Amino acid sequence: MKIRTQLILGAALFGIVLLVLAASVITTTAELGRLDRQVALADRIGNGANDLNYLANEYLLYGEPQQMERWEARYASLGDDLANLSAGTPGQEALVTAIAEDRLRLKSVFDGIAAERGPGSPLDPAALQVSWSRLGVQTQGLAYDASRLSVLLREEGDGVKSLNALLVAALLGAFAVVLFVNYVVVGRHTLQSISTVLDGTAAIGRGDLGHTIAVTGDDEVAELSRAFNRMTADLRTVTASRAELEREMVERQRAEVALKEYAENLQRSNEDLERFAYVSSHDLQEPLRSIVSFSQLLDRRYRGKLDADADEYLDFIVEGGNRMQALILDLLAYSRVNTTRQAFSPTDTADVLASVERSLDARLREAGAAIAHDPMPVVLADPLQLEQVFANLISNALKFRRPDERPRIHIGVRTADGFCEFSVADNGIGIAPEYFDRIFVIFQRLHTRETYSGTGIGLAIVKRIVERHGGRIWVESTPGEGSTFYFTLPTV
Amino acid sequence: MKSSVSRIVIVVIVLVGLGAGLLWGPLATPANTLPPLRIGTQLSEASTPLFVAEELGFFAQNGLNVTIPSYAMGEQAIAAAEAGELDVAMTTEYPLVVAAFGNRSVSAIACIDKAQTASVIGRRDRGIATVADLRGKRVGVTRRTTAEFYLGRVLDLNGMNIRDVTVVDVPRPQNVEAVVNGSVDAVVTATREVVPITARLGGDATVFSAQSDQPAYVLLVCDRAWITAHTRETDQLLKALAMANEYILANPADARAIAGRRANLSEETMAALWPNHRFGLSLDRSLPIAMTDEARWVIANCLTNATTVPNLRDYIDTTALARVDPYAVTIL
């Protein structure tokens, strides 16, 4: 049973007990009042009997009319009292009947005596004695019956009081028993349940999430116990998840550390490689330059003096030396992206673009190209490298133009998320999608040297410069329609 | 905690048990350890409390083993009690007054009934139509019974005395036959005899009350020594009769049936006689007044050699009734 229900039932029981007690007190008071009035009537009748005895004897002695009148008046008032008597039990009823009969017999006796006595004719002593005795028998019998009725009424009153006391005691006793039983059966159970819950909370507080509180009954404490058990189960799940999370975090941290070490190693390796490329390309220039110079000198002095194969071999040597020199220069340029870099500074891309247009002016005019551009922003960049980027992309647009089409180049600008997105769009030959990544790889070419000159280093350098600035570069293109190179740079 | 609660429960159970024992103990039937009690009575409706107590087991409930032999007259019962043949004699007050003049060692321990039971039945064919017509007539009376006093009192109140009639001592139950066969002109007898006598006399019977509004006190009389030695018996007897009286008040029809069967009275007779009785234990002040009045009458009519009224208070022992029902005793 719910504790709330127990409390409601307890309050209802208390209210009922109070109501019954109040009703009992009210009815008892009313009944006792009625009985008190009846007792008073019975006592008055008893006194009236003695009064009538006295008045009758007075009349017997003196025979005066006033005694007769007083007797009659008292007799009448006794009749009034008798009329107001009410019997509640067979015993009382018998006595009320007896009193009524006693009264009539007394009247009969008195009337007989009064007739014999008469005014002014005194009775002889013997007759007086007889009359006195006869009146005594009647009045004392009447007084006895009245006193007996009074006793019975008082006893009934005592009975009512006792019954009321018994009822009150029984109700209080029953209430006490209910309270006691409630304490023993329910209260102790509840207290024990609460104690169990307290022990359980203490165990859970100590970290024993495996502890389960025993659930007995169906009261609020049982609900609390069940809620605690559910909470403990949830805590166990959450704690398990947390452990996994912590384990995962540790693994990630380890991975991050490993990755960081790997990146550092890679960076170191890359720097070593760059340093090697730079040093080797730089150091290779001098002997290569000697090779090329002496092969050119050999070509100039001995061309036509040796046989035809020798001339062809000289051509091969000169051409290979020149290509190797170009490759080494390109490789050196690629290396210098990071080795000869300048600090970033606010750079007006309009100035950069103008400088590029000036340097490419002859090729632009030769190709009849038209360059258009959006309003150019100021970005945080290395201006010389930024010039390389624009020069390279525009050169490519001129190089890979369609033969039957005047090149049209448009440089677009869009700003978002702290970056400026530049686009260099042309109407050239375009690039097949499968080559979108390959074109940014160093020395990767999509065409033969005979078709389009170059070493294939340009876009690799552009990508390296953009990435050095924290941006990225990509291409969108449709073969035969043109290409658009996009790259981002941080705004100022 | 658990053991203390258990102790409390045990104490409560023990207290409740003791309380129940104290409450029900007095109500339980006591062991039938008292010697047999003999109560001499008359086969009349006045004996109703005795019959009811016996038949409904109230005597037994109070530890009494009662036998109720019957006697024709109270005087005979008193004599039997004096002789030790009876323990208790039921009689009206007049035989006790007579006994007092004889200085006999008996006392009334309770009045169990106040009754209007005596009637005068006269033969019309002998010229008796009113009380005054009794003058000079032969009137049958059982001497030394209340009827003797009633006759005298009726005559007194009608301007005569007992010497104005010829009193014929007719013992019961021959008084009925005496008036019927004409050996007496009138008879003073119990009201229960009115019907059979008038029936046998046909229209020749004249009936009028003999008691002059004075009740007959039906008393339980015992030898004084016996009373002193048997307080428990007297108390238990009175308690049993009190229970009988409660039953009579609550179940008058059943009580009448019991008494009618025991007294050999028809239902109609019992119904007619019933209003003339007031069953109940009492010893009130009217009793000694009535007895004294009767004693004076006895002296005045020379029915005794004594010239002074004996101390009749000595013939009323209120101690037993005062113990059983104190409010029933008002005698000073």
Side-chain angles (χ1 to χ4, degrees):
Chain A
M1 187 186 293
K2 304 281 188 191
I3 295 173
R4 183 169 179 272
T5 308
Q6 294 166 27
L7 291 174
I8 291 171
L9 285 176
L13 181 65
F14 184 67
I16 290 169
V17 168
L18 277 183
L19 280 175
V20 174
L21 286 177
S24 174
V25 168
I26 291 170
T27 54
T28 300
T29 303
E31 182 63 10
L32 287 177
R34 184 189 75 79
L35 288 171
D36 283 345
R37 289 189 292 278
Q38 291 292 306
V39 167
L41 282 173
D43 291 343
R44 213 154 55 207
I45 289 171
N47 291 334
N50 290 323
D51 291 345
L52 288 173
N53 191 29
Y54 168 80
L55 293 170
N57 289 331
E58 193 177 31
Y59 182 74
L60 278 178
L61 287 173
Y62 305 108
E64 295 168 348
Q66 61 267 32
Q67 285 115 25
M68 174 66 80
E69 290 169 5
R70 288 166 61 193
W71 195 97
E72 293 287 355
R74 190 68 184 90
Y75 179 81
S77 71
L78 192 145
D80 293 340
D81 290 338
L82 182 61
N84 289 322
L85 274 179
S86 62
T89 64
Q92 293 173 17
E93 187 176 354
L95 283 168
V96 170
T97 303
I99 289 169
E101 292 173 357
D102 290 341
R103 176 173 170 270
L104 293 175
R105 288 202 184 99
L106 173 60
K107 174 70 171 165
S108 172
V109 169
F110 179 75
D111 286 349
I113 292 171
E116 185 182 357
R117 165 71 172 83
S121 54
L123 294 174
D124 64 72
L128 198 60
Q129 286 178 350
V130 169
S131 297
W132 183 92
S133 295
R134 293 182 68 208
L135 286 168
V137 166
Q138 296 301 329
T139 55
Q140 293 308 306
L142 175 57
Y144 172 78
D145 288 338
S147 72
R148 193 70 185 163
L149 178 61
S150 177
V151 168
L152 286 186
L153 290 167
R154 284 191 173 92
E155 286 176 350
E156 187 182 354
D158 292 341
V160 170
K161 289 177 188 171
S162 299
L163 187 64
N164 182 58
L166 192 65
L167 178 65
V168 170
L171 284 172
L172 292 178
F175 192 62
V177 167
V178 169
L179 285 179
F180 182 72
V181 170
N182 192 48
Y183 168 73
V184 171
V185 176
V186 181
R188 287 186 68 217
H189 168 75
T190 303
L191 291 176
Q192 199 164 4
S193 299
I194 290 173
S195 177
T196 305
V197 171
L198 284 176
D199 293 343
T201 55
I204 293 165
R206 286 193 299 271
D208 181 10
L209 296 181
H211 182 87
T212 301
I213 298 171
V215 179
T216 55
D218 192 31
D219 56 10
E220 284 82 349
V221 180
E223 287 180 4
L224 183 63
S225 301
R226 279 192 283 273
F228 259 100
N229 289 336
R230 282 196 299 274
M231 183 191 74
T232 310
D234 292 344
L235 273 174
R236 280 199 297 271
T237 306
V238 169
T239 304
S241 300
R242 187 179 169 186
E244 286 178 6
L245 193 61
E246 286 175 349
R247 192 163 51 249
E248 190 175 336
M249 283 175 67
V250 168
E251 287 176 358
R252 283 191 179 186
Q253 283 174 351
R254 284 177 187 162
E256 282 177 4
V257 168
L259 189 63
K260 189 178 177 185
E261 287 177 358
Y262 180 75
E264 286 173 356
N265 291 335
L266 194 63
Q267 176 74 18
R268 207 161 31 246
S269 173
N270 200 32
E271 285 174 359
D272 292 344
L273 192 62
E274 282 183 355
R275 199 173 300 113
F276 170 75
Y278 175 77
V279 169
S280 57
S281 58
H282 183 272
D283 291 349
L284 281 172
Q285 266 190 312
E286 186 56 31
L288 185 59
R289 192 177 299 116
S290 297
I291 293 170
V292 170
S293 295
F294 282 105
S295 61
Q296 285 175 347
L297 185 61
L298 193 64
D299 182 57
R300 277 197 302 270
R301 282 192 183 179
Y302 298 99
R303 179 168 291 277
K305 296 176 180 176
L306 301 175
D307 56 13
D309 290 339
D311 290 342
E312 189 179 4
Y313 296 157
L314 282 171
D315 288 340
F316 288 157
I317 292 169
V318 170
E319 186 185 349
N322 287 334
R323 196 162 68 249
M324 180 177 287
Q325 194 169 30
L327 287 170
I328 288 173
L329 285 173
D330 286 343
L331 187 62
L332 191 60
Y334 185 80
S335 301
R336 279 175 177 164
V337 171
N338 284 336
T339 54
T340 61
R341 60 191 178 191
Q342 293 182 4
F344 298 154
S345 62
T347 303
D348 189 345
T349 53
D351 293 343
V352 171
L353 185 60
S355 175
V356 169
E357 284 183 16
R358 278 194 302 273
S359 64
L360 296 176
D361 182 61
R363 290 182 62 191
L364 290 169
R365 275 191 282 112
E366 179 198 350
I371 297 179
H373 60 83
D374 293 343
M376 301 301 283
V378 175
V379 297
L380 197 62
D382 179 340
L384 290 177
Q385 289 186 340
L386 188 57
E387 193 173 323
Q388 270 184 279
V389 170
F390 277 113
N392 222 308
L393 294 176
I394 292 171
S395 292
N396 283 344
L398 294 175
K399 183 194 288 186
F400 298 104
R401 66 177 185 271
R402 280 183 287 175
D404 54 343
E405 194 85 21
R406 286 178 58 193
R408 285 196 308 276
I409 302 167
H410 181 269
I411 293 134
V413 178
R414 195 165 65 89
T415 304
D417 301 329
F419 281 86
C420 278
E421 182 185 287
F422 294 92
S423 58
V424 179
D426 62 42
N427 57 344
I429 60 173
I431 305 166
E434 60 268 30
Y435 302 123
F436 283 178
D437 292 330
R438 187 177 168 188
I439 58 175
F440 293 105
V441 179
I442 189 169
F443 299 138
Q444 291 293 320
R445 295 167 57 88
L446 302 183
H447 309 279
T448 62
R449 279 193 303 276
E450 287 74 21
T451 309
Y452 291 100
S453 63
T455 58
I457 193 79
L459 286 175
I461 291 173
V462 168
K463 183 170 185 286
R464 192 172 176 84
I465 290 171
V466 170
E467 287 179 347
R468 185 203 158 209
H469 283 76
R472 66 189 185 92
I473 185 168
W474 69 96
V475 65
E476 292 177 1
S477 178
T478 305
E481 291 184 4
S483 302
T484 301
F485 286 85
Y486 296 90
F487 65 94
T488 60
L489 292 174
T491 57
V492 177
Chain B
M1 178 69 178
K2 187 175 286 183
S3 60
S4 63
V5 171
S6 301
R7 280 199 292 274
I8 291 171
V9 171
I10 290 169
V11 168
V12 168
I13 291 171
V14 169
L15 288 176
V16 169
L18 287 174
L22 290 172
L23 182 65
W24 291 103
L27 300 179
T29 304
N32 189 9
T33 56
L34 296 175
L37 189 70
R38 300 157 298 177
I39 304 174
T41 185
Q42 288 86 59
L43 293 178
S44 77
E45 73 281 6
S47 302
T48 298
L50 295 170
F51 295 146
V52 168
E54 184 186 34
E55 294 226 351
L56 297 182
F58 298 138
F59 287 138
Q61 287 181 34
N62 285 278
L64 298 173
N65 178 16
V66 173
T67 55
I68 306 179
S70 62
Y71 290 78
M73 297 182 293
E75 186 203 20
Q76 295 170 349
I78 289 174
E82 274 191 302
E85 298 168 6
L86 288 176
D87 300 308
V88 181
M90 194 187 88
T91 179
T92 53
E93 81 282 2
Y94 184 77
L96 183 60
V97 171
V98 173
F101 279 114
N103 197 27
R104 291 156 69 178
S105 180
V106 290
S107 291
I109 60 170
C111 169
I112 63 170
D113 181 25
K114 292 178 184 175
Q116 300 284 336
T117 60
S119 296
V120 178
I121 305 173
R123 292 179 64 111
R124 286 183 182 276
D125 60 345
R126 302 287 173 87
I128 300 173
T130 65
V131 176
D133 296 330
L134 290 174
R135 187 185 295 273
K137 297 293 190 298
R138 289 169 57 84
V139 180
V141 169
T142 306
R143 301 300 299 266
R144 296 173 301 282
T145 67
T146 312
E148 184 178 61
F149 168 74
Y150 290 153
L151 176 60
R153 178 52 49 87
V154 166
L155 294 173
D156 287 342
L157 295 178
N158 286 276
M160 297 176 281
N161 61 49
I162 204 163
R163 288 179 292 277
D164 291 326
V165 299
T166 301
V167 175
V168 179
D169 186 8
V170 183
R172 291 172 186 160
Q174 291 87 346
N175 53 355
V176 175
E177 203 56 39
V179 73
V180 171
N181 64 25
S183 59
V184 294
D185 302 318
V187 66
V188 181
T189 187
T191 304
R192 62 179 176 275
E193 307 291 2
V194 169
V195 173
I197 291 173
T198 52
R200 292 177 67 181
L201 289 177
D204 284 341
T206 300
V207 182
F208 40 90
S209 173
Q211 292 189 218
S212 309
D213 292 319
Q214 180 161 314
Y217 296 83
V218 181
L219 305 175
L220 297 181
V221 175
C222 306
D223 181 82
R224 286 176 190 161
W226 187 90
I227 294 172
T228 305
H230 296 83
T231 54
R232 191 171 172 204
E233 282 84 348
T234 55
D235 290 357
Q236 296 305 103
L237 171 63
L238 295 179
K239 286 176 185 174
L241 291 176
M243 293 169 70
N245 287 331
E246 286 184 13
Y247 181 83
I248 292 167
L249 285 171
N251 307 279
D254 292 343
R256 278 201 307 269
I258 291 169
R261 189 172 65 251
R262 292 293 295 269
N264 197 25
L265 296 170
S266 69
E267 190 175 335
E268 293 75 17
T269 302
M270 283 301 298
L273 296 174
W274 197 255
N276 296 330
H277 293 267
R278 290 187 204 163
F279 299 109
L281 295 173
S282 68
L283 284 174
D284 68 80
R285 293 175 191 175
S286 66
L287 174 61
I289 294 173
M291 289 173 67
T292 304
D293 181 32
E294 290 165 10
R296 288 198 184 97
W297 181 85
V298 169
I299 294 171
N301 287 278
C302 303
L303 299 176
T304 178
N305 294 325
T307 56
T308 56
V309 175
N311 184 2
L312 294 169
R313 181 63 183 80
D314 292 341
Y315 292 83
I316 303 171
D317 189 330
T318 60
T319 54
L321 186 56
R323 283 193 299 270
V324 174
D325 185 358
Y327 295 110
V329 179
T330 59
I331 292 175
L332 297 175

